[in-house]
Amino acid sequence: MFDAAPSPGPNRSPLPLAQPPVNGVPTPRPPVEARERRAAPDRPGPRRDAFFDNAKYLAIVLVAVGHAWEPLKDGSRLLESVYTVVYTFHMPAFIIVSGFFSRHFDMRPHRLKRLITGVAVPYVLFETAYTLFRNLVNGSHADISLLDPWYLTWFLVALFVWRLTTPLWQLVRHPLPLAIGIAMLASVSPDIGDDLDLRRVLQFLPYFVLGLCLRPEHFALVRRRRARIASVPVFAAALAIGWWAVPRMNTGWFAHSESAQELGAPWWCGPVMTLALMGCSLLLTACFFAWVPSRTTWFTPLGAGTLYGYLLHGFLMKSGDYRGWFEHPWLHRPPGVVLVTVLAATAVTVLCTGPVRRVFRFAVEPRMEWAFRQDAAEQARSRNRRGQRQRRGQRQQQQQQQRQRQRQRESVGV
């Protein structure tokens, strides 16, 4: 759960040599912190893995495309089959990556601040904005309710709950079976209600916990050429099964937002479908990861802005829905579906770019330093940093003066 500090041993760095005496007085060794700061420039900083940025970008494109297909899929068995296959793995893939990057979350103040400013505050802002937007465009009079996530803001609630409980999942011995058991119980519990979309939060929980359990070497297994080749027949079989299942199956199962009883099925179908869908989702997610490029591409930098694309593209989708854009008969034909797909992918790509992120950073990643109280340790570190900067400035000024005097002596000697 915590990053282990390196223990002293035979591989530790040797102590620096004592400084030569000045005026007969030995100079003490610099403190450990100073030695670490002096060595810091030689130590390479952490680099982002292009694979995960590529995976997040491609997953968010599939999310936006799936939302664009939703009003077009009725009456098209082929499109609904593809829609079903995409919905089987696109959110699980996104959630697994989110869990993977939450492995080191703990209750330290700076991580809690990040959770509040990066998840809780955006949820409040966007839930309010979406409600006002719906009232303005659709002419409705819905009340602002932070307990009833609307459209796509449920993911922020889920991420807040999942990440806040990360230390608990790191503590238990078998976290994944426990999370699957909770998801199975949620699938047969219609009394949970709609507050905070808790049923969906619990049914998607196993994918987040799986991400917590994964390590980089696990992702390396699906980044091989053999996995990429094997994924082709798997996707083909998934499309064939989706074609067969469309008229026989309620696609509401893939949203994980309702119980088995609410979907008109016997209660025992809930646990069975939870296990079956999770198996299918993990298989297709592995096939999806197999095709994610590991190298840096033109869309790799966009992976850092996927939350912007996720939260902002909903305004475009709902505008088209309210304005009746998707009701045009031509859009329900193959060329229209292709056009809508390209437009959705392009729109979410633009929303992940740097200029859009700079404009909406106040809502998606607010800094809010004014809202938090610094603890004593942080204040001491701040004072220490200010003192270090002052001493560094004084040393630079002294060195500059010495160089000037040296040049003056050399000019006089000449």
Side-chain angles (χ1 to χ4, degrees):
M1 184 171 64
F2 300 95
D3 293 333
S7 58
N11 296 326
R12 64 182 180 181
S13 302
L15 293 174
L17 298 175
Q19 302 294 325
V22 179
N23 297 328
V25 180
T27 304
R29 292 188 181 96
V32 176
E33 294 180 358
R35 294 199 301 269
E36 291 179 350
R37 289 194 305 271
R38 196 173 299 168
D42 299 331
R43 189 182 307 149
R47 296 180 57 187
R48 296 180 67 96
D49 191 334
F51 170 80
F52 292 106
D53 280 332
N54 294 336
K56 289 193 296 181
Y57 167 76
L58 295 176
I60 207 62
V61 168
L62 291 177
V63 170
V65 169
H67 287 160
W69 286 346
E70 192 166 355
L72 304 177
K73 63 184 179 64
D74 293 337
S76 174
R77 186 172 179 179
L78 177 60
L79 181 58
E80 191 162 2
S81 302
V82 179
Y83 173 88
T84 300
V85 173
V86 169
Y87 260 69
T88 305
F89 71 89
H90 75 319
M91 281 308 297
F94 201 76
I95 294 171
I96 287 173
V97 173
S98 299
F100 178 76
F101 284 103
S102 300
R103 293 172 299 153
H104 302 298
F105 180 85
D106 50 39
M107 294 299 179
R108 282 184 284 183
H110 72 281
R111 298 194 190 277
L112 291 176
K113 292 177 183 177
R114 177 61 179 163
L115 180 64
I116 293 173
T117 58
V119 180
V121 172
Y123 169 70
V124 173
L125 294 178
F126 277 90
E127 180 64 24
T128 303
Y130 269 114
T131 303
L132 297 176
F133 171 78
R134 177 174 47 172
N135 293 342
L136 177 63
V137 178
N138 197 30
S140 60
H141 301 281
D143 296 329
I144 298 175
S145 175
L146 299 181
L147 297 179
D148 187 15
W150 185 69
Y151 195 32
L152 45 72
T153 55
W154 71 269
F155 180 72
L156 293 178
V157 175
L159 188 59
F160 184 85
V161 174
W162 296 335
R163 194 165 286 174
L164 196 62
T165 59
T166 293
L168 300 178
W169 299 113
Q170 301 281 20
L171 181 64
V172 299
R173 180 169 295 180
H174 303 293
L176 186 57
L178 179 59
I180 294 175
I182 293 175
M184 294 168 66
L185 290 175
S187 68
V188 296
S189 303
D191 296 333
I192 290 180
D194 297 329
D195 289 347
L196 297 179
D197 216 347
L198 190 58
R199 190 181 299 107
R200 186 182 301 191
V201 172
L202 297 179
Q203 291 193 51
F204 273 115
L205 173 64
Y207 301 101
F208 182 83
V209 175
L210 176 61
L212 293 176
C213 299
L214 293 178
R215 297 295 178 264
E217 53 268 23
H218 297 136
F219 288 94
L221 295 176
V222 299
R223 296 164 69 172
R224 301 175 179 176
R225 186 171 180 270
R226 289 180 297 177
R228 191 175 301 113
I229 296 174
S231 66
V232 175
V234 173
F235 273 124
L239 288 173
I241 295 174
W243 174 274
W244 173 86
V246 161
R248 299 174 175 85
M249 181 179 176
N250 188 342
T251 56
W253 289 103
F254 297 95
H256 297 283
S257 59
E258 296 177 297
S259 64
Q261 296 90 326
E262 292 171 318
L263 292 173
W267 70 267
W268 55 266
C269 289
V272 172
M273 289 299 295
T274 298
L275 295 176
L277 287 178
M278 186 171 185
C280 296
S281 298
L282 294 182
L283 179 61
L284 293 179
T285 299
C287 294
F288 166 73
F289 284 146
W291 282 95
V292 173
S294 298
R295 65 185 185 279
T296 301
T297 64
W298 64 268
F299 55 80
T300 300
L302 303 179
T306 50
L307 188 58
Y308 290 80
Y310 178 81
L311 293 174
L312 294 173
H313 86 277
F315 292 102
L316 300 178
M317 298 302 170
K318 285 302 178 182
S319 294
D321 191 14
Y322 294 149
R323 299 296 186 183
W325 299 343
F326 297 105
E327 297 176 1
H328 196 285
W330 186 81
L331 294 180
H332 292 258
R333 300 172 185 171
V337 172
V338 173
L339 176 62
V340 170
T341 302
V342 173
L343 291 177
T346 303
V348 76
T349 299
V350 172
L351 294 177
C352 294
T353 57
V356 176
R357 291 166 57 189
R358 285 191 290 271
V359 171
F360 291 97
R361 181 165 287 136
F362 74 96
V364 181
E365 294 178 300
R367 299 188 183 278
M368 296 184 62
E369 294 294 338
W370 54 268
F372 300 103
R373 181 173 53 191
Q374 285 188 333
D375 56 6
E378 181 63 26
Q379 293 177 356
R381 285 192 291 268
S382 299
R383 289 194 298 269
N384 189 25
R385 286 193 292 268
R386 288 195 298 269
Q388 291 172 3
R389 287 194 295 268
Q390 292 176 357
R391 290 191 293 271
R392 191 182 303 115
Q394 292 174 357
R395 287 196 299 270
Q396 292 175 353
Q397 185 177 4
Q398 292 173 358
Q399 292 172 358
Q400 185 176 4
Q401 292 175 354
Q402 290 176 358
R403 286 193 295 268
Q404 291 177 351
R405 288 195 294 268
Q406 181 67 24
R407 284 194 294 269
Q408 290 175 357
R409 287 194 295 268
E410 291 175 353
S411 61
V412 172
V414 172

